Amino acid sequence: MADIKTKDVIKGTIKTLDRAAIATDRVKHAYVTTKDKAEQAVRTDESSGGEYASNKASAGLSAGTRRGIQTFDKVGRESTKTTIDNVKKTAEFTKEKVAKTKQNVENFKYKRAEQSLKRQSGKAPNQSIRTAKEVEKNIKQSVRSTGNKTIKRGIKAPAKTTRRYLKTAEKTSKTAIKTTEQSAKVVKNTAKTSVKATQRAARATKKAAETTARGVKAATKATIQAVKAIIASTKALITAIIAGGWVAVVIVVICVLLGAAVSLFGGGTENSGYTPVSQEVEAYTPTITKYAKQYGIPEYVELIKAVMMQESGGRGNDPMQAAEGAFNTRYPKQPNGIQDPDYSIQCGVQELKAALNSAGVKNPIDMENIKLALQGYNFGSGYITWAKKNYGGYSYANAVEFSTNQAKKLGWDSYGDTLYVSHVLRYYPYGRAFTSGGNQAIIEVALSQLGNKGGQSYWSWYGFNSRVEWCACFVSWCADQSGYIEQGIIPKYSLCSDGVNWFKKNKQWEDRNATPPTGAIIFFDWGNDGTIDHTGLVEKCENGKVYTVEGNSGDMCRQREYAVGSSVIYGYGIPAY
């Protein structure tokens, strides 16, 4: 029985030791398998996961952002490689430790077997089994605590690091894109602002250039006109000297000096009241000079040219429009009846000489009598006799009266040109220097209309088909009748505000406290609210009062008066007569 027990003990011990060996082999196999999988997982993560994620993240990014991601990726790769190296080192250490543990197990196995045989106890098999199990358990725990954890950390750490870098790269790229978009918007807005500023500057520059160009043009025109006036006066002087007569020479010298002064310092522009004659008229100067000398009025060459300019502009076969005069004996006495320019000038010079003699003109600067003579040239010699007898001379008002009477007598719609005097004198170099001026002429026109009701002749002239508030139409009509709209001295306006704006724009404006000159355009603001309600003409200003002529004052043309600085006065436009 004892032998049998001993055999059983030995048999059980052998079985127990075999199980320990098997457990050891299993642990070894598990370690090897785990190591291979770890290395494979690390290689897979290195070659595919990290690289793919890096490439994918950088696919749609800008060059700058991709460089950032590549930098992060490089750092991630280096970290992953370092981690793999650490894992490998740990695996080698674990392998050495397992081998050592295995050797210890082998030593322990034989030592315990030997001890068990010596003891010959019934408890030996169970104790050996428990011991083997504890060893196996310790080995598993050792492997788990050393290999598996390290391997897992080796696998998870690089992947986690790579994901962190990728998230940082993605966040950085989004921030970069957002910053780029914001920068683009700022640049776009800045560009728009710059374009607008450039456009405003361009418009301002263009406007300044246009203003400068207008100024240069006006200055050039003024200079040309001044030179022409001097040349014309000099020609008159030369003509007078050739014709003889020291009195005429002295008069013409005075005309030359004053005419030149007026041309150079009195404006010489289109607003000065003087307009040079056309080239067509200038071309007739030799013929005019010839007949002026022949008929004893050589000092009036410039006046004859001014008459021709008004009559025809130097065009046609009857440039002096002398067919209906008393000196035409060759051609029909009808408009444009003469068919020979030379003969027309011959007749016209004689006609003007007769008018000058009838009016009592003393010299080329006797403007009051020259006006009478000129209106007589247009109306006929009968006007001169009538005007002297009834009014002592010329006025616009009596010219209108005579024209009206003659038209009624003849059954015509109109008779002659009531504004013939002002029309001719704008072409006469001395007209501005030796006359009372256009400021008085426009007032004479306005005074001739006193008592006119309804204003139809003014608003219909302006172009309206039915009645409108016609105060501005009246002022414009008076300006047109005096020739000042054509010359650009007074604007044509039907709205009071348009008149104000024109004078302000041309820097010809005075406020209500000014003392206005005769011929100024007055504007009213009845409610003192900044709205321009009415307009008229200043007849005169004296003793602290402003006297006016106004259209549409109670639907009539009337004379009015106001205190200087009155609250109803808005201000004054001051024409450059």
Side-chain angles (χ1 to χ4, degrees):
M1 291 298 293
D3 294 336
I4 295 173
K5 288 181 181 179
T6 300
K7 186 178 181 180
D8 289 337
V9 169
I10 295 171
K11 185 178 180 180
T13 301
I14 293 171
K15 288 182 178 178
T16 300
L17 291 175
D18 289 340
R19 289 176 182 173
I22 292 170
T24 300
D25 291 337
R26 288 178 178 174
V27 170
K28 181 179 180 181
H29 178 72
Y31 160 74
V32 173
T33 303
T34 302
K35 177 184 176 184
D36 292 339
K37 289 183 177 180
E39 290 179 348
Q40 183 179 359
V42 171
R43 286 196 300 272
T44 301
D45 182 72
E46 179 183 3
S47 63
S48 59
E51 183 177 355
Y52 173 77
S54 176
N55 292 337
K56 193 70 174 178
S58 63
L61 302 177
S62 65
T65 305
R66 285 198 298 271
R67 285 195 296 271
I69 292 175
Q70 289 170 0
T71 301
F72 285 123
D73 181 64
K74 182 178 180 181
V75 173
R77 288 175 178 272
E78 291 176 353
S79 177
T80 301
K81 183 178 180 182
T82 301
T83 304
I84 291 172
D85 291 340
N86 291 334
V87 170
K88 287 181 178 180
K89 290 179 181 179
T90 303
E92 291 295 332
F93 173 76
T94 302
K95 181 178 179 181
E96 292 176 359
K97 190 172 183 180
V98 169
K100 188 175 181 180
T101 302
K102 181 179 179 182
Q103 184 64 38
N104 291 335
V105 169
E106 290 292 334
N107 293 335
F108 177 78
K109 179 176 67 174
Y110 289 108
K111 186 176 181 181
R112 293 297 296 174
E114 185 179 359
Q115 289 176 353
S116 297
L117 290 173
K118 289 181 179 180
R119 290 193 187 96
Q120 295 293 317
S121 86
K123 295 180 181 180
N126 293 332
Q127 186 177 1
S128 297
I129 292 171
R130 285 197 300 272
T131 300
K133 288 182 177 180
E134 288 175 0
V135 171
E136 183 178 1
K137 182 178 180 181
N138 289 335
I139 291 172
K140 289 182 178 179
Q141 289 177 348
S142 177
V143 171
R144 284 196 298 269
S145 63
T146 58
N148 290 346
K149 290 182 180 180
T150 302
I151 291 170
K152 289 180 179 179
R153 283 198 298 270
I155 295 172
K156 292 181 179 179
K160 186 175 181 181
T161 302
T162 300
R163 286 195 297 272
R164 186 168 63 253
Y165 281 128
L166 289 175
K167 287 182 179 179
T168 302
E170 182 180 5
K171 185 176 180 181
T172 302
S173 65
K174 288 182 179 179
T175 303
I177 292 170
K178 187 175 181 180
T179 302
T180 302
E181 290 176 347
Q182 291 175 345
S183 299
K185 288 181 180 179
V186 171
V187 171
K188 183 178 180 181
N189 292 334
T190 303
K192 287 183 178 179
T193 304
S194 299
V195 170
K196 289 182 179 179
T198 302
Q199 289 175 343
R200 286 195 297 270
R203 286 195 294 269
T205 302
K206 181 180 179 182
K207 187 175 181 180
E210 289 176 350
T211 302
T212 302
R214 286 195 297 270
V216 172
K217 183 178 180 180
T220 303
K221 188 174 182 180
T223 303
I224 293 172
Q225 290 175 341
V227 171
K228 286 184 176 180
I230 294 172
I231 292 173
S233 301
T234 304
K235 287 180 178 179
L237 174 61
I238 294 172
T239 302
I241 291 174
I242 293 173
W246 289 104
V247 175
V249 171
V250 171
I251 292 173
V252 174
V253 168
I254 294 174
C255 290
V256 169
L257 295 175
L258 291 178
V262 168
S263 298
L264 289 174
F265 306 109
T269 68
E270 60 184 8
N271 288 342
S272 70
Y274 170 67
T275 302
V277 298
S278 66
Q279 292 182 355
E280 289 85 352
V281 172
E282 286 289 358
Y284 282 118
T285 300
T287 304
I288 292 172
T289 302
K290 180 182 72 172
Y291 287 115
K293 180 181 178 181
Q294 180 178 332
Y295 293 106
I297 54 171
E299 67 271 34
Y300 293 97
V301 169
E302 295 302 318
L303 184 62
I304 297 169
K305 288 163 63 175
V307 171
M308 180 186 286
M309 183 65 190
Q310 174 57 29
E311 292 290 346
S312 68
R315 296 179 292 273
N317 293 324
D318 190 5
M320 291 295 290
Q321 294 291 294
E324 299 173 83
F327 297 90
N328 173 27
T329 59
R330 298 182 188 176
Y331 294 95
K333 291 182 178 292
Q334 61 185 30
N336 295 304
I338 296 177
Q339 299 301 307
D340 179 1
D342 186 271
Y343 184 70
S344 174
I345 294 171
Q346 183 182 4
C347 292
V349 169
Q350 294 179 78
E351 197 75 45
L352 182 59
K353 178 185 177 181
L356 292 171
N357 289 338
S358 178
V361 176
K362 301 177 181 65
N363 53 62
I365 60 175
D366 182 9
M367 299 308 300
E368 292 306 312
N369 288 325
I370 284 177
K371 290 177 182 180
L372 180 61
L374 290 175
Q375 194 65 64
Y377 184 89
N378 179 255
F379 281 166
S381 59
Y383 166 75
I384 297 174
T385 302
W386 177 86
K388 279 186 174 181
K389 179 181 178 180
N390 293 285
Y391 296 100
Y394 164 84
S395 73
Y396 174 77
N398 67 45
V400 172
E401 181 183 348
F402 184 85
S403 174
T404 302
N405 292 340
Q406 287 297 104
K408 185 178 180 180
K409 180 180 178 180
L410 298 171
W412 297 350
D413 293 332
S414 62
Y415 181 87
D417 179 4
T418 58
L419 289 169
Y420 190 79
V421 171
S422 61
H423 287 163
V424 171
L425 291 182
R426 60 186 165 178
Y427 304 116
Y428 188 46
Y430 320 127
R432 177 178 169 83
F434 302 103
T435 187
S436 57
N439 56 343
Q440 187 61 47
I442 194 172
I443 297 305
E444 290 180 358
V445 171
L447 290 172
S448 70
Q449 303 300 302
L450 292 176
N452 190 308
K453 295 181 180 180
Q456 181 176 2
S457 57
Y458 315 119
W459 52 256
S460 61
W461 162 84
Y462 198 96
F464 293 105
N465 295 322
S466 59
R467 186 190 182 281
V468 296
E469 297 302 325
W470 49 275
C471 59
C473 293
F474 170 73
V475 173
S476 295
W477 181 86
C478 292
D480 180 69
Q481 295 300 299
S482 303
Y484 299 131
I485 290 179
E486 180 182 357
Q487 296 176 46
I489 295 174
I490 297 175
K492 181 179 180 180
Y493 64 101
S494 62
L495 293 175
C496 296
S497 58
D498 288 345
V500 169
N501 292 336
W502 189 91
F503 284 108
K504 285 184 175 180
K505 179 181 178 182
N506 287 277
K507 302 185 184 306
Q508 297 172 235
W509 181 258
E510 297 286 350
D511 63 24
R512 65 164 61 94
N513 297 312
T515 300
T518 295
I521 313 300
I522 186 170
F523 295 90
F524 298 90
D525 176 6
W526 302 133
N528 199 24
D529 57 2
T531 301
I532 317 303
D533 301 300
H534 187 57
T535 186
L537 290 159
V538 175
E539 180 181 0
K540 60 183 178 178
C541 182
E542 58 187 22
N543 301 322
K545 288 190 176 182
V546 180
Y547 296 88
T548 65
V549 181
E550 302 167 23
N552 198 28
S553 177
D555 203 33
M556 288 181 62
C557 290
R558 301 174 184 268
Q559 290 175 295
R560 297 290 189 185
E561 62 180 68
Y562 307 88
V564 172
S566 171
S567 61
V568 300
I569 299 174
Y570 183 77
Y572 304 95
I574 312 298
Y577 293 116

